[in-house]
């Protein structure tokens, strides 16, 4: 339908026609001396020499109307992409022009982008690109993947990071780029550093460790010999808190044995033994009888029940009570047929009193590529949003470092 007459301007609305867009003549220049904000209208280019024969038939200068009422100050608005993205161009008079009346300089347009609308378009571009990849329409996917960095640049914080990572992953699928695994000596140390920062900056692992330790502590009540099998020892951050709780138990701490499972290191260092050495030092300071053994395994399916048994014969009258702990490890087995069943059989063979499992509730391993992509996008967007909110509360912890895991509960 024809666009309505603009209430605050004197321009005349011309016919919309079947195209559905309203056009109007630019308003005459406005004296900016009376404007509170010292705004000046954007000067229009001088018209070409008019032919007397065609002067009356000159086509008016057209501008897409953005809808809504306009202010009394001179500005121009445009609506793009069906009204979903809006931008405004406002020319501000320079300070020198404000001081001297009549002085005019070149126009300096300022473009204001609606970041919320751009964020919606960014999510739609990511999902459309993933759908094109699933359909193997790589021509459309390539066109979309080139728009993602531009749309992501208008965002900030968590959304920008998530879009950058997912856009890079889509680009690798579009261009069939599979980077070779980096086997540099810095990988292991850098991964440990990232894990330590992640542990300190968010509550997820701390809460998981606290909940699992509380369940294990209750299962070990009254036992004098206990054994914990950790399917993902990493840096051993979970166990100092449990050692402290056992040391304060009425009647004295039990004999504590820990078996830590971890992957082989790219630099071929014995990282598991270093973790055990640190835990042994901590256990010695709080007077807990501590034994440790590290098992290197590329996958948990390589474990056998005899690997988790004591080294020698059990001569003590009181049997050893076993707890099996797995934090974000079992989901890795879903890509290996039969691996999860084998690990569960190994767990049953050692007859643990308690099994603690912490896993993420996300369906990243089933369904179509688009379904997994969408689920992962929602999951990591929520994760990064919460990390952004928790990032401002780490200054006190960083100012006074303490042994890893000793003050986390």
């Amino acid at each position: 339908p024809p666009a309505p007459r603009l209430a605050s301007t004197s321009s005349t609305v011309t016919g919309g026609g079947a195209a559905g867009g309203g056009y109007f003549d630019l308003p005459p220049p406005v004296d900016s001396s009376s404007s509170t904000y010292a705004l000046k209208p954007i000067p229009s280019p001088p018209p070409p020499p008019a032919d007397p024969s065609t002067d009356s038939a000159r086509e008016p200068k057209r501008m897409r109307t953005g809808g809504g009422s306009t202010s009394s100050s001179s500005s121009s608005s445009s609506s793009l992409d069906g009204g979903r993205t809006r931008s405004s161009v406002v020319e501000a008079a320079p300070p020198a022009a404000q001081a001297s009346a009549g002085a005019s300089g070149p126009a300096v347009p300022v473009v204001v982008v609606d970041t919320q609308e751009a964020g919606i378009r960014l999510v739609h571009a990511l999902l459309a690109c993933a759908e094109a990849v699933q359909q193997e329409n790589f021509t459309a996917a390539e066109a979309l993947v080139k728009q993602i960095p531009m749309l992501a640049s208008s965002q900030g914080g968590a959304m920008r990071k998530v879009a950058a990572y997912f856009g890079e992953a889509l680009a690798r699928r579009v261009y069939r780029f599979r980077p070779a695994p980096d086997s540099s000596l810095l990988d292991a140390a850098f991964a440990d550093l990232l894990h330590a920062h992640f542990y300190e900056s968010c509550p997820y692992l701390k809460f998981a460790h606290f909940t699992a330790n509380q369940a294990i502590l209750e299962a070990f009540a009254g036992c004098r010999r206990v054994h914990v099998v950790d399917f993902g020892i990493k840096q051993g951050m979970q166990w100092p808190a449990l050692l402290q709780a056992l040391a304060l138990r009425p009647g004295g701490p039990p004999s504590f044995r820990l078996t830590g499972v971890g992957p082989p290191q790219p630099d071929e260092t014995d990282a598991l033994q270093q973790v055990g050495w640190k835990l042994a030092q901590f256990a010695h300071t709080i007077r807990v009888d501590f034994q440790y053994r590290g098992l290197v395994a590329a996958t948990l399916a390589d474990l056998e029940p005899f690997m988790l048994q004591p080294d020698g014969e059990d001569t003590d009258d009181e049997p050893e009570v076993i707890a099996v702990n797995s934090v974000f490890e079992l989901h890795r087995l879903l890509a290996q047929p039969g691996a999860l069943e084998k690990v569960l059989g190994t767990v049953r063979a050692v007859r643990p009193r308690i099994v603690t499992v912490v896993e993420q509730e996300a369906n990243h391993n089933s369904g179509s590529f688009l379904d997994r992509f969408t689920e992962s996008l929602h999951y990591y967007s929520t994760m990064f949003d919460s990390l952004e909110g928790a990032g401002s509360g780490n200054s006190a912890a960083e100012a006074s470092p303490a042994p890893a895991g000793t003050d986390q509960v």
Side-chain angles (χ1 to χ4, degrees), residues 13-360:
V13 178
T14 60
Y23 303 96
F24 61 91
D25 294 327
L26 287 175
V30 180
D31 184 9
S32 62
S33 61
S34 61
S35 175
T36 305
Y37 301 97
L39 298 179
K40 296 179 9 180
I42 298 177
S44 59
D51 188 354
S53 61
T54 60
D55 183 59
S56 59
R58 179 178 60 87
E59 182 181 1
K61 188 175 184 63
R62 300 185 299 175
M63 178 178 292
R64 295 286 299 275
T65 58
S69 60
T70 61
S71 61
S72 59
S73 61
S74 176
S75 63
S76 62
S77 303
S78 63
S79 177
L80 305 179
D81 196 14
R84 291 193 298 272
T85 301
R86 296 177 176 85
S87 64
S88 301
V89 181
V90 179
E91 180 197 353
Q98 298 177 14
S100 60
S104 62
V108 182
V110 179
V111 180
V112 181
V113 180
D114 190 341
T115 57
Q116 184 176 6
E117 298 287 346
I120 296 175
R121 291 184 60 191
L122 174 60
V123 174
H124 289 174
L126 287 168
L127 296 178
C129 185
E131 184 176 6
V133 169
Q134 176 178 281
Q135 298 173 355
E136 297 185 356
N137 186 0
F138 294 106
T139 302
E142 182 179 6
L144 288 167
V145 83
K146 291 179 179 179
Q147 299 179 13
I148 292 174
M150 180 182 62
L151 294 172
S153 63
S154 65
Q155 303 300 304
M159 187 60 194
R160 184 171 185 170
K161 297 176 184 178
V162 173
Y165 290 134
F166 277 78
E168 180 183 356
L170 288 171
R172 290 181 177 182
R173 284 184 174 264
V174 170
Y175 297 108
R176 281 88 163 178
F177 175 69
R178 294 292 185 268
D182 187 7
S183 58
S184 63
L185 298 180
L186 297 178
D187 283 348
F190 188 62
D192 291 342
L193 180 64
L194 290 179
H195 185 265
H197 279 296
F198 179 74
Y199 190 88
E200 293 296 333
S201 63
C202 70
Y204 303 118
L205 285 177
K206 295 178 184 179
F207 180 76
H209 290 171
F210 170 77
T211 308
N213 285 347
Q214 184 65 30
I216 294 173
L217 185 64
E218 294 176 1
F220 284 169
C223 301
R224 302 307 307 171
R225 299 176 64 244
V226 297
H227 178 199
V228 174
V229 178
D230 189 357
F231 280 165
I233 187 70
K234 292 184 174 63
Q235 296 177 351
M237 296 178 178
Q238 179 175 352
W239 306 118
L242 181 61
L243 288 171
Q244 280 183 322
L246 292 174
L248 299 175
R249 196 177 67 173
S255 174
F256 188 90
R257 188 162 71 93
L258 176 63
T259 299
V261 183
Q265 299 298 313
D267 54 1
E268 299 182 356
T269 58
D270 199 349
L272 293 181
Q273 291 303 321
Q274 295 177 9
V275 172
W277 180 74
K278 294 178 182 179
L279 291 175
Q281 282 187 319
F282 179 76
H284 177 72
T285 60
I286 59 176
R287 295 180 174 83
V288 174
D289 182 15
F290 179 81
Q291 298 179 23
Y292 175 83
R293 179 172 56 179
L295 296 178
V296 178
T299 173
L300 294 178
D302 296 336
L303 296 178
E304 299 294 341
F306 72 89
M307 300 178 182
L308 308 180
Q309 299 296 337
D311 294 332
E313 296 182 359
D314 191 0
T315 58
D316 200 327
D317 295 337
E318 185 174 354
E320 187 180 65
V321 178
I322 300 178
V324 176
N325 181 77
S326 177
V327 178
F328 300 134
E329 294 294 334
L330 296 183
H331 71 276
R332 306 174 189 272
L333 303 173
L334 298 178
Q336 310 172 33
L340 182 59
E341 290 75 9
K342 185 177 184 302
V343 172
L344 295 180
T346 302
V347 172
R348 295 188 189 96
V350 300
R351 297 180 178 274
R353 175 170 292 188
I354 185 173
V355 178
T356 53
V357 177
V358 178
E359 280 296 342
Q360 57 189 9

